[in-house]
Structure formats: C-alpha cells, structure tokens
C-alpha cells in the first residue's frame, strides 16, 4: 500500500499570508506512460464533507479560487494558499489514486494565527 | 445540480449488518465510477471501496474486504454498501462520492455527499 504522510498535523498562519502544506508518498505516484501524478488535495471544513481542490497534483477544480495551487511530482507534493482567507480554515488532505487501496494523508489542520 | 444522498445508517450491535444506500441525481449515474469513504469520529478520511460505472470492477480496503460489498443499480441511480460482521472500529460517517470518470483512469472523488453515521455499539 502507498502510505501518504503529511508532516504537519496543524498549521497556524496569519490572514493574508501564505500557507504551505506538504505531503509525501511512500512510492512514486507518477505514471510514466502519461506523465501524470495521481495526487489530489481536498478541503474539509468543520461539519462538512470533503471538497476537491486539486487533482493531477496541480490542476485546480472548477470553481476553486486561484489562491489555491498544487505542485510537486513523484513522491513530494505541496498545496499552497497564496493569501489566507478566513474561510480557508479547514483540514486539508492529500490522496493518491495511483493504485488501490486509495490512501489519504492524515490531514493538516489550518488555523488563523 | 449534482446530489448524492446517503441513507440506512444508525446504531447496530457488533457482528450486525446494515445496507447503506446512496441516491444520486443531477448527473448520468451510469457513466461514472463511485466510491465509499468513511471517517471515524474526529479522525481522518479512510477510503473503503470503489465500483466502476457498470459494476464490473470493484476494489476494497483491506480493513473491510470480505465483510463489505459495494454494488450499484444504474436503473435506479443508486449505489449500495452492504456492511456485515460489523466491528466497533467500523463506527464512522460513511460518505458516498462520485468519481470524474467511468473507470480506473482517474479514481479521485470530485463530489461528496453529506454522509451518514454508522455506530457499532452494544
């Protein structure tokens, strides 16, 4: 099984500042035949179901604000929020869908400093 | 608009069974793979199972293999999860989620419903 590790369990950032959340996979999730990273990011606000933010490691889902961006390849990935807004308070999860079982990171809780 | 509504949750004793149903609307259900994902109280997300658009391919987490069965009825736009031999560690909110494609080419979840609580307790 591919183990997804988010190094920070929680993170506090000031409003308007940059937030960076990291995720590492135990093996590469880059599929060589199509050069795509099978990595997604989700946001889960309190009391809500998860919401897809990013897929293929860097493709923003329709309707997601452009302050959210994803980067990385192979085994190391980053979700960046360029200017933190109050509504961004949530838990963020990375997920690999390269192989089953599909696996999630343990989540990073983002709070306002 | 896309909607998925889960029903069938509740309190069940260890060793018991339930059937969760997920009624889909707002999209052509038969064209998409579907997932079940769960979240234990105050814990992270755990993927449970996925089924391809036509039900021909199904995959499970090791923790539920042999106890849970995913199925679908495309004529009713409904996804099911039969959960048997329940354990206390199966207590969780169970989410039904839509995949963006019909098969394994992109098995992330692009839409999630509200989820339903299953509590396994004596």
């Amino acid at each position: 099984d591919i183990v997804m590790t988010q190094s920070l369990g929680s993170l506090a950032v000031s409003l308007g500042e940059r937030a960076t959340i990291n995720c590492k996979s135990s093996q590469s999730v880059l599929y060589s035949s199509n050069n795509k990273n099978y990595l997604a990011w989700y946001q889960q606000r309190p009391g809500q179901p998860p919401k897809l933010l990013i897929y293929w490691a860097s493709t923003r889902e329709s309707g997601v604000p452009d302050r959210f961006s994803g980067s990385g390849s192979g085994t190391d990935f980053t979700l960046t929020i360029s200017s933190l807004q109050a509504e961004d308070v949530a838990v963020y999860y990375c997920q690999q869908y390269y192989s089953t079982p599909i696996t999630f990171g343990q989540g990073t809780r983002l709070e306002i400093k | 608009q896309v909607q998925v509504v889960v029903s069938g949750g509740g309190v069940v004793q260890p060793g018991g069974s339930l059937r969760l149903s997920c009624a889909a609307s707002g999209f052509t259900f038969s064209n998409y793979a579907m997932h079940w994902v769960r979240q234990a109280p105050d814990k992270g997300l755990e993927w449970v199972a996925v089924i391809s658009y036509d039900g021909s391919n199904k995959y499970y987490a090791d923790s539920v293999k042999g106890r849970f069965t995913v199925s679908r009825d495309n004529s009713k736009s409904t996804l099911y999860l039969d959960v048997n031999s329940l354990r206390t560690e199966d207590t969780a909110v169970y989410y039904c989620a839509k995949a963006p494609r019909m098969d394994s080419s992109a098995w992330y979840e692009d839409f999630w419903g509200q989820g339903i609580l299953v509590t396994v307790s004596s």
Side-chain angles (χ1 to χ4, degrees):
Chain A
D1 299 1
I2 299 177
V3 176
M4 306 301 291
T5 301
Q6 294 179 235
S7 54
L8 290 178
S10 62
L11 176 66
V13 174
S14 300
L15 289 173
E17 296 299 305
R18 177 184 301 262
T20 301
I21 297 171
N22 297 310
C23 173
K24 189 174 183 68
S25 58
S26 60
Q27 63 189 75
S28 176
V29 298
L30 174 64
Y31 194 36
S32 56
S33 66
N34 59 11
N35 201 36
K36 288 188 173 187
N37 287 283
Y38 284 55
L39 189 285
W41 288 97
Y42 299 87
Q43 175 194 63
Q44 187 176 31
R45 293 178 173 135
Q48 295 297 312
K51 173 188 172 185
L52 176 67
L53 296 176
I54 302 284
Y55 55 97
W56 302 128
S58 61
T59 302
R60 196 180 305 114
E61 173 72 337
S62 175
V64 172
D66 61 7
R67 65 180 180 273
F68 291 91
S69 63
S71 62
S73 184
T75 61
D76 291 278
F77 300 92
T78 300
L79 174 70
T80 300
I81 307 172
S82 59
S83 177
L84 189 70
Q85 305 299 304
E87 61 264 32
D88 300 334
V89 168
V91 180
Y92 292 84
Y93 295 92
C94 62
Q95 177 207 48
Q96 68 79 20
Y97 49 98
Y98 180 89
S99 64
T100 57
I102 295 165
T103 47
F104 291 90
Q106 71 271 38
T108 297
R109 185 177 302 276
L110 180 59
E111 301 168 334
I112 305 295
K113 186 187 291 183
Chain B
Q1 71 280 23
V2 174
Q3 273 197 304
V4 291
V5 178
V6 183
S7 60
V11 181
V12 61
Q13 291 188 336
S17 300
L18 276 178
R19 168 173 263 204
L20 303 182
S21 300
C22 171
S25 60
F27 64 102
T28 304
F29 181 74
S30 58
N31 285 354
Y32 297 94
M34 296 291 294
H35 295 264
W36 289 100
V37 180
R38 68 184 181 182
Q39 187 169 33
D42 296 319
K43 300 295 184 185
L45 301 171
E46 181 187 15
W47 175 78
V48 172
V50 64
I51 184 169
S52 59
Y53 72 106
D54 60 355
S56 61
N57 291 294
K58 306 173 186 181
Y59 298 90
Y60 299 90
D62 289 345
S63 58
V64 307
K65 204 173 293 183
R67 300 187 300 122
F68 290 13
T69 302
V70 61
S71 60
R72 64 192 297 159
D73 185 338
N74 286 343
S75 68
K76 296 181 179 178
S77 296
T78 302
L79 175 72
Y80 302 101
L81 186 68
D82 290 301
V83 298
N84 300 300
S85 303
L86 280 162
R87 307 165 180 166
T88 55
E89 57 264 36
D90 295 317
T91 294
V93 172
Y94 284 74
Y95 293 103
C96 163
K98 172 187 166 294
R101 297 183 188 172
M102 57 174 56
D103 56 17
S104 60
S105 61
W107 264 346
Y108 57 92
E109 294 90 0
D110 66 353
F111 185 83
W112 301 60
Q114 278 295 332
I116 198 162
L117 179 62
V118 172
T119 302
V120 184
S121 174
S122 54

